[in-house]
Amino acid sequence: MTQEQVREIVQILPVDYEIEYICRGNRVIVGPKVRKCLPNGTWTDMTQHSRCKKKLYIGALFPMSGGWPGGQACMPSAQMALDLVNNRSDILPDYELELIHYDSMCDPGEATKLLYDLLYTEPIKIVLMPGCSGVSTLVAEAARMWNLIVLSYGSSSPALSNRQRFPTFFRTHPSATLHNPTRVQLFQKWKWTRIATIQQTTEVFTSTLDDLEQRVKEAGIEISVRQSFLTDPAVAVKNLKRQDARIIVGLFYETEARKVFCEVFKEKLYGKKYVWFLIGWYADNWFKIKDPAINCTVENMTEAVEGHVTTEIVMLNPETVRGVSNMTSQEFLTALMSRLGGKNPEETGGFQEAPLAYDAVWALALALNKTVAPLKAKGRRLEDFNYNNHDITSEIYRALNTSSFEGVSGHVVFDAQGSRMAMTLIEQLQGGSYKKIGYYDSSQKNLSWFGNDVWIGAGPPADRTVVIEEYRFLSQKLFAAVSVFAGLGILLGIVCLTFNIYNGNVRYIQNSQPYLNNMTAVGCMMALAAVFPLGIDGHHVHRSQFPVVCQFRLWLLGLGFSLAYGSMFTKIWWVHTLFTKKEEKKEKKKQHLEPWKLYATVGVLLAIDFLSLMIWQIVDPLHITVEKFTKEAPKEDLDVLIQPLLEHCNSEKMNTWLGVVYGYKGLLLLLGIFLAYETKSVSTEKINDHRAVGMAIYNVAVLCLITAPVTMILSSQQDASFAFASLAIVFSAYITMVVLFVPKMRRLITRGEWQSEQQDTLKTGSSTNNNDEEKSRQLERENRELQKIIQEKEERVSALRNQLAERQALRNRRRPSTGQNQNHSAPPPSSQPDPKSLLPPPGYPNPTTDNHSLPPSFSNSSNLYPADSKMSRNHCHNSQIPLLYK
């Protein structure tokens, strides 16, 4: 209608005449619906055009209650965006968007019923807009059957990024996995390598945690505890406490968060030793909201949540930029607060996500506007959409997939999975309110840190009970004391060795096989020298040098034992071999003992030890191992444990090698004890100190047989083990050297036997030790006493014989006179005396012509002096007196 036609009508129509515009069909008037005729011939509101727009319906599900009541702020925000879009003449000029919404209560079951109503109730919805991940999962999976695009404003489940399962799904709320790169970055910043997780058993949190587990594994971070719960988190929280969880990532909805932290307060799982990571899209005062499902006060909850960290997608553009809606983020918040009627944002669910709902409407409007021209080219229109029309759905999908604009939440762009890409905001609850402490751009891997993080303790807590490794070292006082004794023992060995070499030409020393004694002294010094590496540990040398110390221990002690004990064993072996045979073979065996046999025996024993040690070191060399003990808690700090460590010399088959060595040497010790016992009564000049050697073998064998098993049992007690081993070595060496060398020194010093072999030949006796010498001197004294007794007896015998002769002569004179007075019937007496009358008194021998014959009391002399022999006291030979004494 032209202006002239309008004027003609106005002139005909009366004044105050009204014209009402009505659109037929599914259309709506845009602009003035009524115009009045003015007296001047004009119409009212001539500057505004009235036109009919076609309606496009959006089916929305806003959770006004439930686990996340985000619809409380997101629905007014979406409605505000719709009003602005419908008033724009450059965006969908022929269409008007209308929102049909229901309360899903963030419940998939309730959402199923509402989705049915949306789909099977007129009018047809061109797009669905659900909130909550659980509801969005249900709607997005079913929407493809009706060729519907789903655009969510409040779904963060990583599972929704699956294009095969949800081919028509988009969201302005970034995926929850976008939190995980930020969390990993914070773990690395605060040097945490061990975390724990607790989650509500829903798909969104399970898939988020799966993604986090993969990311922390790539970063070298361990998830030590992973707990989950359905409705009651009490058991899960107790398990976290039991497993010593310190850095805890919590994934649950707001209502469950209150339950969790009520249990956290009860278990004291908060404070300076703990850090909680939560989702940032809760209401700012979520922990102050009274909840009948918990029995904790607001003060309890406030105490438990203090200091926790949240990660949240940046949902409000921090910069003052006017986006496609010609509104800055601050202007948006002002307009939203006006729509909320001054309601407290902290008590309004979804207030943080409101910019996402606002930009979701704008993203949909811009995408639909972009599809008008392509559809018109194909002879189609948006109002022609139905649930069987795949072409229009494809155009809308293509337009959304290429969306890119500035919104109040920041730059809006979708990735290949339909998820929003955005920065992450990091906040910390400080003094009951959230403070921004940084931003993280995962696409650029850039962390913007404000440095205003606050901790209850001195700094970020440790990710576990701090375990301080503390090596146990040998007591230095004990080591010094034993080292002094070992050093003095080495000096004693040098003195003994020098003495033996210097007096090697003395017959007494020569008869003790001085070269074997020299080997014994050298072996004792080597064994004493092994005490020093035995006491050296990580306190003295670096760990890399410790295997060298282990080698010194083994070789010094092994070869020292072979020399010292081997030389003594050789002596006792040959004494037993030559001088303990049967009587008939003894003379044959008492032949000259050739020295090379002794040296060869020592060489064999030394070669066996050398070869066994060499094979051990080549096949299974010694290396350092560290023994760990039970952790100890110091009294000063309950958050620190001491891990005692002890270094050992070890090899892969240490027990096998020790079994072989101990078995072989144990048999030698037992055999040495047996041989020493068998030869204790043997006396020989060829090895005149074998009894002293036997005594030394007794001591060495007893000490070794006791010390070896004890040190194996006490191997974990470094002081006791060292004390037993080192003192056994010291005592064995001291006893051996004192028993073998001190008597020789004493004899040569006290008796002055420093003569050479030629000068000492006349003084060589059969005695071989001090006991034999004492017996010899006592024997000489007793022989002298016996000589006096014999002389007295001889004088007494002579006197008795004289008396007998006188009596016989008197008796002979008396017999003739008595014979004349008797009868002649009796036979005449013999002129010879009766032999029996001449017998001596009892106890005396028969009279002989020898006036010096021995009395019969000395019956043992009958073998020495025949009856007719003549022997005066001067004829007693010194060589026969000992036999007489015996």
Side-chain angles (χ1 to χ4, degrees), residues 272 468 631-642:
K272 67 177 183 179
I468 301 176
K631 296 183 180 67
E632 303 171 354
K635 297 180 180 180
E636 295 78 14
D637 191 347
L638 297 178
D639 198 29
V640 175
L641 289 177
I642 303 298

Side-chain angles (χ1 to χ4, degrees), residues 492 496 499 734-749 770:
L492 176 61
C496 294
F499 165 81
Y734 269 85
I735 291 173
T736 300
M737 290 188 289
V738 168
V739 169
L740 289 184
F741 294 99
V742 171
K744 297 179 177 62
M745 295 179 184
R746 179 173 174 271
R747 177 186 175 96
L748 267 64
I749 293 173
N770 291 335

Side-chain angles (χ1 to χ4, degrees), residues 108 193 243 343 357 360 400 472 474 496 517 531 537 547 552 633 655 684 695 740 776 814:
T193 58
Q243 297 293 330
K343 188 177 180 180
L400 273 175
R472 289 181 175 178
L474 180 65
C496 294
N517 290 339
V531 171
D537 50 23
F552 272 103
N655 292 334
T684 176
M695 182 64 66
L740 289 184
S776 177
R814 289 178 179 178

Side-chain angles (χ1 to χ4, degrees), residues 303-459:
E303 182 181 352
V305 300
E306 180 64 26
H308 77 264
V309 178
T310 65
T311 55
E312 181 53 275
I313 308 304
V314 176
M315 299 178 184
L316 189 66
N317 196 340
E319 299 178 1
T320 307
V321 178
R322 293 187 180 275
V324 68
S325 64
N326 197 29
M327 185 182 294
T328 64
S329 57
Q330 294 303 318
E331 291 172 347
F332 163 76
L333 291 178
T334 303
L336 179 61
M337 290 297 297
S338 177
R339 281 195 174 250
L340 292 175
K343 188 177 180 180
N344 187 356
E346 295 183 355
E347 298 178 357
T348 304
F351 186 82
Q352 293 183 344
E353 290 80 7
L356 302 180
Y358 182 85
D359 285 344
V361 173
W362 277 100
L364 176 60
L366 293 175
L368 293 175
N369 186 63
K370 193 184 293 185
T371 61
V372 172
L375 289 175
K376 186 176 181 180
K378 296 179 181 179
R380 292 181 177 275
R381 298 172 299 178
L382 286 174
E383 62 267 28
D384 297 335
F385 175 79
N386 58 59
Y387 298 143
N388 296 318
N389 195 323
H390 182 71
D391 293 339
I392 296 177
T393 302
S394 298
E395 289 297 332
I396 298 174
Y397 177 89
R398 189 177 297 110
L400 273 175
N401 202 34
T402 58
S403 296
S404 180
F405 64 93
E406 289 295 331
V408 295
S409 63
H411 188 70
V412 179
V413 63
F414 302 102
D415 60 16
Q417 286 75 36
S419 298
R420 170 80 178 276
M421 300 178 66
M423 292 182 65
T424 307
L425 170 65
I426 307 168
E427 292 183 316
Q428 186 182 36
L429 189 68
Q430 301 175 3
S433 61
Y434 286 100
K435 304 293 183 183
K436 296 178 181 178
I437 60 176
Y439 287 96
Y440 182 68
D441 186 355
S442 58
S443 61
Q444 302 294 327
K445 296 183 179 180
N446 179 38
L447 177 64
S448 300
W449 197 249
F450 300 160
N452 60 339
D453 48 316
V454 177
W455 304 99
I456 299 175

Side-chain angles (χ1 to χ4, degrees), residues 479-501:
F479 180 51
V482 176
S483 297
V484 170
F485 282 106
L488 293 176
I490 293 174
L491 292 178
L492 176 61
I494 294 173
V495 171
C496 294
L497 184 64
T498 304
F499 165 81
N500 218 44
I501 295 174

Side-chain angles (χ1 to χ4, degrees), residues 6-7 10-11 14-16 36-44 46:
V6 172
R7 287 174 184 173
V10 169
Q11 292 174 357
V15 179
D16 295 334
K36 291 183 179 181
C37 181
L38 299 176
N40 60 3
T42 61
W43 295 92
T44 58
M46 289 298 293

Side-chain angles (χ1 to χ4, degrees), residues 245-266:
R246 300 301 182 88
I247 312 303
I248 308 168
V249 178
L251 302 175
F252 27 72
Y253 286 116
E254 182 178 319
T255 53
E256 277 66 30
R258 285 190 283 269
K259 296 179 183 178
V260 168
F261 274 87
C262 183
E263 297 298 328
V264 166
F265 176 79
K266 295 175 183 177

